[in-house]
């Protein structure tokens, strides 16, 4: 065989090898399906390349194009358990006349909505930070013709996650609300509290952020990295755990009392750094959806002003 024929054979082999890979290339984050839920509400399913699966999102659409977006995260069960803003509050009615798209992802139970460094036998492939800060916003912006301005809010487990996601994603979110949660630090107490969430879901905390107190834990220490929240609109709220008039459902006084202590500490940290924040410490409230809903509506004017809603 001549030299030219050898090279021709090599080129043909390379092309043959590349064609199947091109044909099966990852299409990127995109809408995988949409179902109307009445009015301007819809379930928009989005394929996440990072996690290799489709994620369900409950969405309340704004009345027209050019509206900003509020990403609203739920508690420890991720909404897959039927416990969420969508299921347990009147957000659909509250935001019906607001010029904002409200996106409520379903899933992420006990994951802290972060990127885990390793796949886990208990919770699988977890890349929620990538999904929430890169994949989903891009799809929502294209699909709903948004303004590109975003806020994020979390409650209970996701309160600290909302702060962390705002820190990790730079300018993606210009406003953050953290309600009845426990912002964590990479100290023994913070490590124990964050790890407990992963363990509740059957996951190994070592697969989440690696060696306790190590570099990845330090990266997600919201106290140490609080300075990166400067310039954003911040709303923090928690209560004492004493049942009050806003409560609905089963009161959980110890949980809210802990959240109140954690939130007060983080508010103090922001104060030390000279970072403005609205901090609401309620004299009553016991970690119920009635309390969470009341605090969200209290937070909304602050978020709206920041994103132009």
């Amino acid at each position: 065989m001549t030299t030219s024929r050898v090279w021709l054979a090599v080129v043909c082999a390379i092309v043959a090898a590349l064609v199947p890979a091109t044909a099966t290339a990852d299409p990127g984050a995109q809408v995988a399906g949409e179902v109307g839920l009445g009015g301007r509400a819809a379930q928009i399913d989005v394929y996440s390349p990072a996690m290799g699966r489709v994620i369900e999102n409950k969405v309340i659409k704004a009345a027209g194009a050019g509206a900003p977006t509020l990403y609203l995260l739920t508690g420890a069960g991720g909404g897959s358990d039927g416990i969420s803003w969508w299921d347990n509050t009147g957000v659909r009615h509250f935001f019906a006349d607001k010029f904002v798209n409200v996106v409520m992802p379903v899933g992420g139970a006990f994951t802290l909505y972060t990127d885990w460094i390793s796949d886990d036998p208990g919770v699988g492939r977890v890349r929620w930070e990538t999904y929430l800060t890169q994949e989903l916003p891009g799809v929502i912006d294209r699909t709903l013709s948004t303004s590109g301005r975003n806020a994020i809010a979390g409650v209970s487990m996701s309160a600290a996650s909302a702060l962390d996601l705002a820190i990790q994603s730079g300018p993606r979110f210009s406003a953050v609300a953290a309600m009845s949660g426990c912002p964590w630090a990479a100290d023994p107490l913070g490590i124990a509290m964050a790890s407990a969430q992963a363990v509740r879901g059957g996951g190994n905390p070592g697969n989440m952020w690696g060696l306790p107190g190590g570099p990845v834990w330090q990266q997600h220490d919201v106290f140490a990295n609080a300075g990166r929240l400067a310039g954003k609109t911040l709303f923090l709220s928690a209560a004492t755990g004493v049942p009050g008039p806003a409560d609905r459902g089963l009161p959980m006084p110890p949980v809210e009392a802990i959240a109140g202590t954690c939130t007060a500490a983080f508010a103090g940290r922001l104060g030390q750094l000279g970072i403005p924040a609205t901090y609401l410490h309620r004299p009553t409230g016991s970690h119920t959806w009635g309390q969470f809903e009341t605090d969200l509506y209290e937070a909304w004017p602050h978020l709206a002003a920041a994103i132009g809603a």
Side-chain angles (χ1 to χ4, degrees), residues 264-288:
F266 191 69
R269 170 62 174 160
L270 293 174
Q272 291 172 352
L273 296 172
I275 298 176
T278 298
Y279 169 45
L280 176 62
H281 181 66
R282 293 192 180 278
T284 62
S286 57
H287 215 75
T288 64

Side-chain angles (χ1 to χ4, degrees), residues 117-141:
I117 63 174
S118 300
D119 292 352
D120 185 271
V123 297
R125 176 161 296 176
V126 179
R127 301 288 188 275
W128 277 96
E129 179 185 317
T130 297
Y131 178 70
L132 291 168
T133 65
Q134 300 177 35
E135 296 176 340
L136 182 59
V139 171
I140 292 298
D141 288 347

Side-chain angles (χ1 to χ4, degrees), residues 111-112 114 157 160-161 164 181-199 205-206 208-214 216-218 220-224 258 261-263 265-266:
T111 65
L112 273 66
T114 188
M157 178 193 79
S161 300
D164 185 39
C182 201
W184 55 68
D187 59 15
L189 179 60
I191 291 169
M193 295 186 67
S195 296
Q197 297 290 345
V199 171
M208 183 172 67
W209 289 334
L211 184 68
V216 183
W217 283 87
Q218 297 291 335
H220 293 280
D221 182 329
V222 298
F223 278 81
I258 294 171
T261 300
C262 293
T263 303
F266 191 69

Side-chain angles (χ1 to χ4, degrees), residues 28-275:
Q30 61 181 294
V31 173
E34 180 172 343
V35 178
L37 299 175
R40 293 199 301 273
Q43 176 180 313
I44 300 180
D45 297 330
V46 174
Y47 172 69
S48 164
M51 289 190 276
R53 58 190 175 91
V54 173
I55 307 296
E56 174 186 332
N57 305 273
K58 295 292 197 306
V59 178
I60 304 168
K61 300 178 184 179
T69 305
L70 168 63
Y71 291 88
L72 193 52
L73 306 181
T74 192
S80 300
D81 53 1
I83 302 173
S84 69
W85 294 105
W86 178 266
D87 297 295
N88 296 91
T89 73
V91 292
R92 185 167 169 178
H93 174 74
F94 178 79
F95 287 107
D97 63 347
K98 309 294 190 295
F99 190 59
V100 65
N101 301 293
V102 182
V103 179
M104 295 164 276
V106 179
F110 306 108
T111 65
L112 273 66
Y113 290 111
T114 188
D115 280 2
W116 288 37
I117 63 174
S118 300
D119 292 352
D120 185 271
V123 297
R125 176 161 296 176
V126 179
R127 301 288 188 275
W128 277 96
E129 179 185 317
T130 297
Y131 178 70
L132 291 168
T133 65
Q134 300 177 35
E135 296 176 340
L136 182 59
V139 171
I140 292 298
D141 288 347
R142 293 192 303 271
T143 303
L144 302 183
S145 299
T146 76
S147 69
R149 301 177 68 180
N150 306 296
I152 189 167
V155 67
S156 194
M157 178 193 79
S158 67
S161 300
L163 292 168
D164 185 39
L165 291 166
I167 289 170
Q168 302 302 327
S169 62
R172 172 68 72 184
F173 303 107
S174 56
V176 190
M179 298 165 286
S180 293
C182 201
W184 55 68
D187 59 15
L189 179 60
I191 291 169
M193 295 186 67
S195 296
Q197 297 290 345
V199 171
R200 282 181 66 192
N204 180 346
N207 289 328
M208 183 172 67
W209 289 334
L211 184 68
V216 183
W217 283 87
Q218 297 291 335
Q219 177 185 336
H220 293 280
D221 182 329
V222 298
F223 278 81
N225 295 290
R228 292 161 63 185
L229 293 169
K232 300 180 187 293
T233 294
L234 304 174
F235 179 93
L236 308 174
S237 67
T240 59
V242 177
D247 286 318
R248 295 196 308 269
L250 180 64
M252 292 190 284
V255 175
E256 189 60 29
I258 294 171
T261 300
C262 293
T263 303
F266 191 69
R269 170 62 174 160
L270 293 174
Q272 291 172 352
L273 296 172
I275 298 176

Side-chain angles (χ1 to χ4, degrees), residues 8-24:
L8 179 61
V10 171
V11 171
C12 289
I14 293 173
V15 171
L18 289 177
V19 168
T22 302
T24 59

